[in-house]
Amino acid sequence: MRNSFGNVFTLTTFGESHGPAVGGVVDGMPAGIEVDLDFIQHELNRRRPGQSAITTSRQEADQVELLSGVFEGRTTGCPIGFIVRNQNQHSKDYDELRTLFRPSHADYTYFYKYGTRDHRGGGRSSARITISRVVAGALAKLALKQLGITIEAYTSQVGNIALEHDYRHYDLSLTESNAVRCPDPEKAKEMERLISEVKAEGDTIGGIISCIIRGCPAGLGEPEFDKLHAQLAHAMLSINAVKGFEYGEGFAGVTQRGSQQNDVFVNEELRMKNEEFATAIPSLDGTAPANSTLNTQHSTLNTLTNHSGGIQGGISNGQDIYFCVAFKPVATLLREQQTVDMEGNATTFTAKGRHDPCVLPRAVPVVEAMAAITLLDHYLLSKMSKF
């Protein structure tokens, strides 16, 4: 079972939904980064259960404990181990599922692959495991902040209720002002009503999360199999319940012609300097490694439009990177469903427990986290490729 993500900045996760704790190990974190524990906890609070009437009622503090890799408030460059303890499991709610395969869950596939499974809350396949991603993402955000790179995600659609414009038309500071995490207050009310209605019916609903990365320098990403958009897609599609990914204009762009889609370059100003590479792509600590003097070419080009979504040829071009992630309706319904047991016998069951009627509000920080992990990993990979 592969439980690690990344090339240079890596995250390895462990734990189950109803085990003692979930956690992870972050390796490759640059030394000297100031660690803001309040910020990391804030990110976890955005993901934690029980935060509103439209999320699961499971109550967890989700308090993170850093075990290593931080000394006197700064990263040491050594692996950062962390755990978040589970405190409010109701494992008995899942007793009848020990011998059943729930529709559209990982019960059958896990059992078929491994010959065993943890039936309590989905075990390893539970969305609770995304806690580790949020912690690692918060650490990555702290590093990216020094580079002037920011990442913001928001709910742009729930069911058939969708925002009518892209991110440039909204004040994203309003995203955290409502339970749905939508920057349009009126649309947010409609979305919240829909989620409440669906929850009352014992059903679930899906939607779309949009994400914007600003301040990303040109040059991140690899030209063939590790294209930046491919790695972002990998990161997003690894999140529970994600069914689709598109960047830039995505599928909407197929209705236009190349003359409408091409992003024209303007204000050409190339500066040739004999300088340290860190000047072209800034260092996390503001310094350059010894013996790194190179002839580098730093482009200050801009584009009139950004249909490409900030990535061309699999490499960032310095413009805003934007993408959308589609989430399916949560598979756990609080109503009777048909299924089969482990012997193949037809049966019915009604799920118990505490579940989200819509995963999007709590998935917003997870999307941001995976984007941050991917960006920092490619930033570090890009620096290595220059020496």
Side-chain angles (χ1 to χ4, degrees):
M1 183 183 289
R2 179 160 169 76
N3 299 291
S4 299
F5 181 85
N7 300 286
V8 181
F9 180 86
T10 64
L11 167 66
T12 300
T13 71
F14 62 83
E16 294 82 31
S17 176
H18 286 237
V22 296
V25 177
V26 169
D27 204 359
M29 181 73 172
I33 303 298
E34 184 176 353
V35 176
D36 185 342
L37 279 173
D38 289 338
F39 173 73
I40 297 174
Q41 190 59 53
H42 170 72
E43 294 294 276
L44 280 172
N45 291 345
R46 296 170 67 208
R47 195 225 70 95
R48 72 176 179 83
Q51 59 184 276
S52 75
I54 58 172
T55 64
T56 172
S57 59
R58 179 172 175 170
Q59 294 295 320
E60 294 279 3
D62 285 354
Q63 194 74 34
V64 64
E65 302 174 42
L66 299 185
L67 306 178
S68 63
V70 178
F71 179 67
E72 295 183 341
R74 292 186 179 273
T75 56
T76 63
C78 298
I80 301 175
F82 62 88
I83 61 170
V84 173
R85 301 182 188 277
N86 295 325
Q87 299 175 325
N88 190 227
Q89 311 98 309
H90 288 181
S91 298
K92 66 179 184 300
D93 290 341
Y94 299 89
D95 285 348
E96 70 170 312
L97 303 181
R98 182 184 294 271
T99 59
L100 300 181
F101 295 134
R102 295 170 296 172
S104 290
H105 284 73
D107 299 346
Y108 171 72
T109 52
Y110 266 58
F111 182 78
Y112 191 89
K113 182 175 178 67
Y114 300 108
T116 186
R117 67 183 177 94
D118 184 347
H119 65 281
R120 304 165 304 166
R124 185 69 177 154
S125 66
S126 170
R128 184 154 179 77
I129 308 305
T130 59
I131 283 174
S132 300
R133 300 170 183 236
V134 173
V135 174
L139 289 167
K141 281 185 175 182
L142 290 173
L144 293 174
K145 182 179 179 181
Q146 296 196 19
L147 303 172
I149 300 173
T150 62
I151 300 171
E152 296 177 280
Y154 60 91
T155 299
S156 55
Q157 182 170 343
V158 173
N160 61 357
I161 302 172
L163 297 186
E164 299 170 357
H165 307 288
D166 65 28
Y167 70 97
R168 290 165 291 193
H169 292 78
Y170 299 99
D171 179 0
L172 298 190
S173 68
L174 299 176
T175 298
E176 295 293 319
S177 68
N178 55 77
V180 187
R181 294 199 162 89
C182 172
D184 183 324
E186 293 306 312
K187 287 288 186 180
K189 292 177 183 177
E190 294 181 38
M191 293 174 179
E192 187 167 353
R193 281 196 295 269
L194 176 58
I195 295 172
S196 296
E197 291 170 6
V198 166
K199 179 181 179 181
E201 297 169 357
D203 215 331
T204 62
I205 192 77
I208 296 174
I209 289 175
S210 296
C211 186
I212 306 93
I213 302 170
R214 293 186 175 95
C216 180
L220 302 192
E222 302 300 314
E224 183 60 12
F225 298 110
D226 287 338
K227 291 178 170 67
L228 184 56
H229 59 270
Q231 293 298 293
L232 284 169
H234 176 194
M236 299 306 146
L237 289 167
S238 73
I239 301 172
N240 306 56
V242 170
K243 303 296 282 187
F245 171 88
E246 67 173 7
Y247 75 102
E249 301 256 316
F251 289 103
V254 304
T255 62
Q256 295 184 328
R257 300 187 179 189
S259 56
Q260 297 171 295
Q261 278 283 303
N262 282 356
D263 295 318
V264 177
F265 289 104
V266 294
N267 297 328
E268 181 174 354
E269 183 185 348
L270 293 178
R271 293 178 295 161
M272 295 294 295
K273 291 184 178 180
N274 187 9
E275 61 183 358
E276 294 177 340
F277 172 67
T279 304
I281 300 182
S283 174
L284 286 168
D285 60 6
T287 63
N291 302 320
S292 64
T293 301
L294 303 170
N295 285 323
T296 59
Q297 177 172 283
H298 182 46
S299 173
T300 58
L301 296 181
N302 285 314
T303 57
L304 285 174
T305 55
N306 189 18
H307 302 295
S308 302
I311 302 171
Q312 293 168 331
I315 300 172
S316 61
N317 66 4
Q319 305 302 305
D320 290 350
I321 297 172
Y322 63 95
F323 58 87
C324 295
V325 186
F327 286 78
K328 71 172 184 175
V330 177
T332 300
L333 311 182
L334 299 182
R335 55 165 66 179
E336 187 175 87
Q337 294 184 82
Q338 295 181 335
T339 191
V340 298
D341 61 22
M342 295 174 66
E343 303 298 324
N345 301 309
T347 186
T348 61
F349 80 105
T350 300
K352 300 177 182 177
R354 302 155 297 174
H355 307 280
D356 288 286
C358 179
V359 74
L360 275 79
R362 295 175 58 212
V364 166
V366 181
V367 168
E368 291 181 359
M370 292 307 295
I373 292 170
T374 303
L375 258 291
L376 181 57
D377 187 39
H378 273 274
Y379 169 81
L380 296 171
L381 193 62
S382 180
K383 290 191 68 175
M384 291 177 62
S385 71
K386 293 289 185 179
F387 297 101

